[in-house]
Amino acid sequence: MAELLLDVKNLVTEFKTENGLVKAVDDVSFQVNKGEVIGIVGESGSGKSVTSLSIMRLIPNPPGKITGGQINYYRDGKTPIDLVQIADNEMRSYRGNEISMIFQEPMTSLNPVFTCGNQVMEAIMLHQKISKKEAEARTLDLFAQVKLPDPQRALNAYPHQLSGGQKQRVMIAMAMSCQPKILIADEPTTALDVTVQKTILELINDLSRQTGMSTIFITHDLGVIAEIADRVVVMYKGKIVEQGTVLEIFSNPKHPYTKGLLACRPPLEKRLSKLPVIADFMEEKDGVITEKAADMNALVEAFVVSEAQTKKRYEELQQHTPILQLKGIQTWFPSKTNLFGKTLDYVKAVDDVSFDVNEGETLGLVGESGCGKTTLGRTILRLVEPTGGKAIFDGKDIFNLGQKDLKELREHMQIIFQDPYSSLNPRMTIGNAILEPMQVHNKYSNDSERKDKVIELLEKVNMKPEHFQRYPHEFSGGQRQRICIARALALSPKFIICDESVSALDVSVQAQVLNLLIKLREEFKFTYIFISHDLSVVKFMSDRMVVMNKGKIEEMGLADEIYNNPQQEYTKKLIAAIPKGNVEDIRARFERV
């Protein structure tokens, strides 16, 4: 018999807002057994993170409050303790000590003015009455346990001196420092490369097996859930719509929302003309959900593109002249200087990169963080100055243009950045943000004509004319990215670089934005360079793919061919790290256990 550790019953968490009370968690019930990994999945706003914060009693009051239900924790396996009812000082003895949490963004969770070692030691000494020397030894052991490459260096390093994956390992070490019975991991791999994500998932699995710890793993990506969870809880608008074993959910999903979440992930084994989205499976009116498509597989198959169609498109693209030619591009940054400021050594972010991009083509640029893909994109646009090489766009040598000519050229070359919120001026309405490039480049006769064009663009990206006067903070992440796409279209460019433009989005919103980019490419005949660390997204979007590693090209070719027959070990490693969510793989995982 499984030993019950946590029993969440009819949990309700409400927030006071300008529009009245909002039930962020609405009558949620689930159980966690000892040694089990429970996956809680849903889009932003589904209530999954608020559920975890409720368990930890970290809901800010005001404006939030747990207004109903029980969170029964079985400390000794027999007598439940309702964490909702106990006093704050008693809750502090459980929080961090018996129930620990890893947050999504390690950089904001770690204090930048203290070393990583000090922060973990502080957590240990707070809950365990041991000396500083003993705490330091325990921290080094934990850093070795979470497989930090150099535990002693990490002990003395400040957060900014470590990579994203290393910072997340420090956070896991801190969460594990008091040997908790339950670990809550809230989107711990969302911002990480697929290879780093894979190692973090394996690490959490290993620690669970070694210590008998239970894990509540929160994510928007069902592919990740397939890699780690035993059971799955699917949440939508504060409610649980479906729960079951991971095999049941993946092999026979019942709720249309679950079907939509599963279907909107870019498939690897086939090429689709567009990705299914949640709206293909269900519609909601006055709180009532109606199923639209019952057969998930049939809907996906309707979007499949044949090999012959893919081949025909590529042959047509080859007949076009290259719109962009890169020859021996180098972008180096000084890493070491002498007393007089003379550079002694460089970081070769981009080192001798050459390729052509045909007109109308989408070329995917994929690799881990630090491989040079973003630096290359910014070098092409002269947002970063090159060290060497040539970039010929539409017959013009970009690197030899003066500022006036460069400004004229930028009308035809645009970029969509990763973070739409930091790309938009928070003090400027979104209408004016889209209109501004038209003013700078003297497009159209007057602001009235420009405003008409902005409204047309907003409608193109599925936004409404009345959004013109609103500010960025009034929109969701997916809507803000649509606004940035509209701004990139404002000057009718020929060429757009998409730099990790969907990596921060829910998989369902990501599918909508990717579909929009494909639709716009077909309508306006754009040429894209699509940059991402996610090979499955790059494969879906791209005709050809360039795999980068340490500033150099590992391999390039047709996207489907690279996935089906990778030549380099690095590419094979990237492909192996992608969470695939196949039923066969899930079965094999449980058979191994």
Side-chain angles (χ1 to χ4, degrees):
M1 277 289 290
E3 184 183 326
L4 182 61
L5 197 58
L6 190 75
D7 187 7
V8 178
K9 285 184 175 180
N10 310 112
L11 181 66
V12 179
T13 304
E14 297 180 331
F15 286 85
K16 284 183 182 175
T17 71
E18 293 173 357
N19 301 318
L21 277 178
V22 172
K23 284 186 179 179
V25 176
D26 189 4
D27 195 27
V28 162
S29 301
F30 65 92
Q31 295 180 331
V32 182
N33 296 316
K34 187 177 179 183
E36 187 176 39
V37 179
I38 298 292
I40 302 182
V41 69
E43 299 168 284
S44 297
S46 65
K48 57 190 189 298
S49 290
V50 177
T51 300
S52 68
L53 291 170
S54 300
I55 293 168
M56 294 291 286
R57 284 270 300 273
L58 289 173
I59 299 293
N61 183 12
K65 192 179 180 184
I66 298 172
T67 58
Q70 298 173 310
I71 302 169
N72 291 320
Y73 173 56
Y74 289 80
R75 190 175 204 174
D76 57 5
K78 296 173 186 173
T79 313
I81 297 149
D82 187 355
L83 301 180
V84 174
Q85 301 299 330
I86 60 176
D88 287 347
N89 60 344
E90 191 181 347
M91 184 64 206
R92 277 194 287 272
S93 69
Y94 292 97
R95 191 190 298 127
N97 195 23
E98 303 208 17
I99 306 174
S100 259
M101 189 163 181
I102 309 164
F103 294 96
Q104 178 173 350
E105 180 41 71
M107 194 63 200
T108 55
S109 305
L110 293 168
N111 191 322
V113 300
F114 291 103
T115 65
C116 295
N118 266 331
Q119 295 181 64
V120 178
M121 285 160 61
E122 181 188 30
I124 293 170
M125 289 189 289
L126 183 67
H127 292 286
Q128 300 172 30
K129 306 302 177 193
I130 61 175
S131 69
K132 189 176 180 181
K133 191 174 180 182
E134 289 172 311
E136 184 175 317
R138 172 90 179 113
T139 301
L140 281 169
D141 284 345
L142 282 164
F143 282 179
Q145 206 177 343
V146 299
K147 299 176 184 173
L148 276 163
D150 187 344
Q152 188 64 53
R153 177 183 167 267
L155 188 83
N156 300 316
Y158 290 90
H160 72 272
Q161 294 174 305
L162 300 181
S163 70
Q166 288 172 336
K167 283 195 284 277
Q168 200 59 287
R169 286 166 192 267
V170 170
M171 285 297 300
I172 293 171
M174 192 184 295
M176 297 294 298
S177 62
C178 297
Q179 298 175 323
K181 292 185 177 165
I182 300 174
L183 175 69
I184 300 173
D186 186 7
E187 301 267 15
T189 62
T190 299
L192 303 178
D193 294 332
V194 284
T195 48
V196 181
Q197 173 179 271
K198 185 179 174 68
T199 60
I200 295 293
L201 294 178
E202 287 171 351
L203 173 61
I204 291 172
N205 254 332
D206 290 346
L207 292 172
S208 296
R209 280 199 301 271
Q210 289 164 18
T211 63
M213 172 186 75
S214 301
T215 304
I216 298 173
F217 195 96
I218 296 165
T219 181
H220 62 259
D221 188 348
L222 270 163
V224 172
I225 289 289
E227 300 282 311
I228 194 167
D230 300 307
R231 286 190 298 119
V232 186
V233 174
V234 183
M235 290 188 71
Y236 175 70
K237 290 190 176 178
K239 293 179 179 286
I240 292 175
V241 294
E242 186 167 2
Q243 57 179 309
T245 68
V246 67
L247 196 55
E248 287 168 351
I249 295 293
F250 274 79
S251 58
N252 188 24
K254 299 282 195 291
H255 197 277
Y257 181 68
T258 312
K259 292 175 185 178
L261 283 180
L262 283 166
C264 66
R265 292 158 44 246
L268 286 160
E269 68 284 354
K270 57 188 80 169
R271 180 170 281 275
L272 303 185
S273 58
K274 61 176 279 194
L275 290 170
V277 294
I278 303 288
D280 291 323
F281 292 89
M282 60 177 258
E283 61 184 359
E284 187 178 8
K285 193 173 182 182
D286 300 325
V288 178
I289 293 171
T290 307
E291 186 167 48
K292 288 168 72 176
D295 191 335
M296 183 179 83
N297 294 324
L299 185 66
V300 173
E301 287 301 316
F303 298 145
V304 170
V305 177
S306 69
E307 281 185 35
Q309 288 172 301
T310 304
K311 188 178 178 184
K312 185 185 175 192
R313 172 175 162 79
Y314 182 64
E315 285 170 354
E316 287 170 357
L317 288 171
Q318 279 187 306
Q319 292 168 15
H320 297 175
T321 53
I323 193 170
L324 179 70
Q325 296 169 288
L326 305 183
K327 299 175 181 178
I329 303 291
Q330 294 176 322
T331 309
W332 298 357
F333 300 105
S335 63
K336 191 177 178 183
T337 56
N338 65 14
L339 193 61
F340 303 102
K342 185 182 176 184
T343 302
L344 301 175
D345 203 1
Y346 291 91
V347 172
K348 297 180 179 180
V350 179
D351 194 18
D352 194 25
V353 166
S354 303
F355 58 79
D356 293 350
V357 185
N358 291 322
E359 193 173 354
E361 179 180 29
T362 298
L363 182 104
L365 209 53
V366 69
E368 296 172 288
S369 296
C371 73
K373 57 190 187 296
T374 291
T375 303
L376 177 60
R378 294 182 182 207
T379 302
I380 292 166
L381 296 177
R382 286 269 301 273
L383 298 175
V384 173
E385 288 298 330
T387 308
K390 275 190 171 185
I392 312 296
F393 176 78
D394 227 7
K396 294 177 182 173
D397 187 347
I398 301 169
F399 297 167
N400 285 328
L401 293 179
Q403 286 304 312
K404 186 185 174 192
D405 291 334
L406 186 60
K407 180 185 169 183
E408 287 177 11
L409 188 70
R410 285 209 172 120
E411 187 178 326
H412 307 293
M413 306 173 79
Q414 290 291 308
I415 185 166
I416 303 164
F417 293 102
Q418 177 173 355
D419 182 358
Y421 194 69
S422 60
S423 306
L424 294 165
N425 186 334
R427 297 182 179 182
M428 187 182 279
T429 65
I430 65 135
N432 285 328
I434 299 167
L435 189 142
E436 187 183 41
M438 300 182 200
Q439 291 174 325
V440 170
H441 288 273
N442 294 315
K443 292 283 246 183
Y444 309 104
S445 305
N446 52 53
D447 279 351
S448 177
E449 285 186 20
R450 291 177 190 122
K451 185 174 180 180
D452 290 342
K453 181 64 179 176
V454 171
I455 288 168
E456 181 191 321
L457 289 169
L458 285 171
E459 289 175 332
K460 284 271 183 218
V461 298
N462 303 325
M463 301 289 285
K464 295 176 182 173
E466 56 265 32
H467 290 153
F468 187 99
Q469 296 297 346
R470 293 192 192 171
Y471 289 87
H473 72 272
E474 298 179 73
F475 297 95
S476 68
Q479 286 174 318
R480 284 197 289 262
Q481 198 59 287
R482 289 170 188 274
I483 293 159
C484 289
I485 292 169
R487 186 178 59 181
L489 302 181
L491 300 174
S492 305
K494 298 177 182 177
F495 172 75
I496 298 175
I497 294 176
C498 302
D499 185 9
E500 298 276 13
S501 53
V502 296
S503 63
L505 304 176
D506 289 337
V507 284
S508 54
V509 180
Q510 173 182 280
Q512 294 170 22
V513 173
L514 292 176
N515 287 344
L516 173 63
L517 289 169
I518 285 178
K519 179 186 163 199
L520 293 170
R521 181 187 71 188
E522 302 310 314
E523 187 175 342
F524 295 102
K525 308 301 177 192
F526 289 137
T527 305
Y528 288 133
I529 286 184
F530 192 91
I531 299 170
S532 179
H533 63 261
D534 188 338
L535 196 141
S536 61
V537 170
V538 171
K539 178 183 175 293
F540 167 71
M541 282 296 295
S542 306
D543 301 298
R544 283 188 304 139
M545 194 190 294
V546 173
V547 182
M548 283 188 72
N549 181 26
K550 296 178 182 175
K552 292 183 178 289
I553 293 174
E554 284 278 338
E555 62 181 302
M556 63 174 141
L558 292 175
D560 291 352
E561 285 180 10
I562 284 184
Y563 174 74
N564 293 324
N565 188 26
Q567 300 300 305
Q568 302 300 318
E569 284 304 314
Y570 179 76
T571 313
K572 290 174 185 175
K573 185 179 80 166
L574 282 181
I575 292 168
I578 301 167
K580 296 174 181 67
N582 296 331
V583 173
E584 297 78 18
D585 291 344
I586 295 168
R587 280 204 184 95
R589 175 162 72 85
F590 284 105
E591 283 168 9
R592 285 197 299 272
V593 174

